[in-house]
Amino acid sequence: MSDSAVPDATIASAAKPATRPARPFFSSGPCAKPPGWDASKLASESLGRSHRSKIGKTRLQLAIDLMREMLQLPDTHRIGIVPGSDTGAFEMAMWTMLGARGVTTLAWESFGEGWVTDAVKQLKLDPTVLRADYGQLPDLSQIDWSNDVLFTWNGTTSGVRVPNGDWIPADREGLSFADATSAVFAYDLPWDKIDVATFSWQKVLGGEGGHGVLILGPRAVERLETYTPAWPLPKVFRLVSKGKLAEGVFKGETINTPSMLAVEDAIFALEWAKGLGGLEGLIARSDANAAALQKIVADRDWLGNLAEDAAIRSTTSVCLTVEGADEAFIKTFAGLLDKEGAAYDVAGYRDAPAGLRIWCGATVDTADIEALGPWLDWAWAEAKAG
């Protein structure tokens, strides 16, 4: 532990703040449930029924329709509910479409590195890898778009996002694969620049884990129908039947049995989002939360942003540096907040530099972000004092 994080006898314990966040849920996944959520409010008619029954298909299709509406997704793009959360959805895309041409992978945080590992060690593709340290982006101008390109739109473990879609050319030869799990519903994504996108309900919607969502643009569909990978595909990855896209997957006929309770939970969140005014309402809430957190950071000289450049700083998974802190100090810091019920799950990701990670997605209330500031002061003083 560095000198500034060593217990200091000159630092007295601070008084506990009088007000706690009403909902101290700041985890970056699974994330806070939507305000007003209660399990008793979920529709239950589909529970205990086959997902292939009329009501099962109807509810799955409703979830897809609501996602399309909330995302303002063009009719050119298909939406499918798939197993394995965002990881399963992205793996499905990699295993079914890569290998037709060269591959470039971008990695500036843990999950991007995971896709590099899969491309290199599992699929044996020898990709071009563009890396950057936590808090930074690789040079996007160096990408060869004759290749397929894999990247995270918003790096959940680093708090770094791509600034926009301008760096993706309209006349690209390769496909763009966006792991967008902490970006979808928080940014206005340029769908004409995205051939494949994946996410899970457990992030910005505050839904349950275990299910992923796969979005395919027309160029991705063309790839699936004209290219057969050299490796065998597990049943849960198969998106093509007799040379044609399995359209049923994108109409609620899931490849494996979904949790209808998780589906109903997602429908609740999507209908809540619709009541906010849709995508614009979700983005506004997330932006307000991020702004409130940045005010807290600006007022404290011991707090900083891992992503120093505001143009590439996440507005959902905001990663903060703590002056002089190491992993043990952060564990103590986060543990104090957890014990007091002031903030849950705010320690940075295990592979990231030691620091804090505060989820600012739309399901968090801005008042709770604002109430967090004094508690950060208290935990900082307590941890420093030992």
Side-chain angles (χ1 to χ4, degrees), residues 76-78 96-97 100-101 145-149 168-177 191-196 215-227 245:
T76 54
H77 287 58
R78 292 166 170 85
T96 55
M97 284 177 264
R101 56 173 61 238
W145 280 99
S146 67
N147 289 348
D148 293 330
V149 179
I168 304 173
D171 61 350
R172 61 192 176 278
E173 297 176 46
L175 301 180
S176 60
F177 290 72
W191 292 107
D192 61 321
K193 299 295 185 74
I194 300 173
D195 298 306
V196 179
I215 298 178
L216 301 179
R219 300 177 72 246
V221 173
E222 180 185 22
R223 172 71 62 82
L224 285 166
E225 293 184 338
T226 59
Y227 166 70
L245 187 71

Side-chain angles (χ1 to χ4, degrees), residues 305-324:
N305 286 284
L306 185 57
E308 295 181 0
D309 183 355
I312 63 169
R313 186 181 302 150
S314 172
T315 56
T316 55
S317 54
V318 183
C319 296
L320 304 178
T321 59
V322 177
E323 182 181 275

Side-chain angles (χ1 to χ4, degrees), residues 129-204:
V129 182
L130 300 180
R131 288 188 170 91
D133 292 335
Y134 277 82
Q136 301 176 18
L137 275 180
D139 185 350
L140 302 179
S141 70
Q142 297 301 306
I143 296 171
D144 177 2
W145 280 99
S146 67
N147 289 348
D148 293 330
V149 179
L150 281 62
F151 67 98
T152 51
W153 195 280
N154 185 102
T156 312
T157 67
S158 68
V160 173
R161 63 182 173 92
V162 295
N164 48 51
D166 294 350
W167 56 284
I168 304 173
D171 61 350
R172 61 192 176 278
E173 297 176 46
L175 301 180
S176 60
F177 290 72
D179 172 356
T181 194
S182 54
V184 168
F185 297 111
Y187 305 121
D188 188 6
L189 298 180
W191 292 107
D192 61 321
K193 299 295 185 74
I194 300 173
D195 298 306
V196 179
T198 65
F199 68 94
S200 74
W201 296 325
Q202 63 165 304
K203 298 292 187 181
V204 181

Side-chain angles (χ1 to χ4, degrees), residues 44 51 98 122 140 150 183 200 225-226 231 249 278 302 307 311 339 343:
S44 59
H51 62 294
L98 294 185
Q122 304 300 323
L140 302 179
L150 281 62
S200 74
E225 293 184 338
T226 59
W231 43 80
V249 173
W302 53 271
K339 184 177 180 180

Side-chain angles (χ1 to χ4, degrees), residues 5 45 66 74 89 91 95 107 120 145-146 162 167 198 202 213 255 262 266 283 293 296 302 304 329 341 360 365:
E45 290 81 2
L66 285 169
E91 293 275 12
W95 282 71
V120 173
W145 280 99
S146 67
V162 295
W167 56 284
T198 65
Q202 63 165 304
V213 177
I255 291 176
I283 292 173
L293 184 57
I296 291 171
W302 53 271
F329 185 84
C360 290
D365 288 317

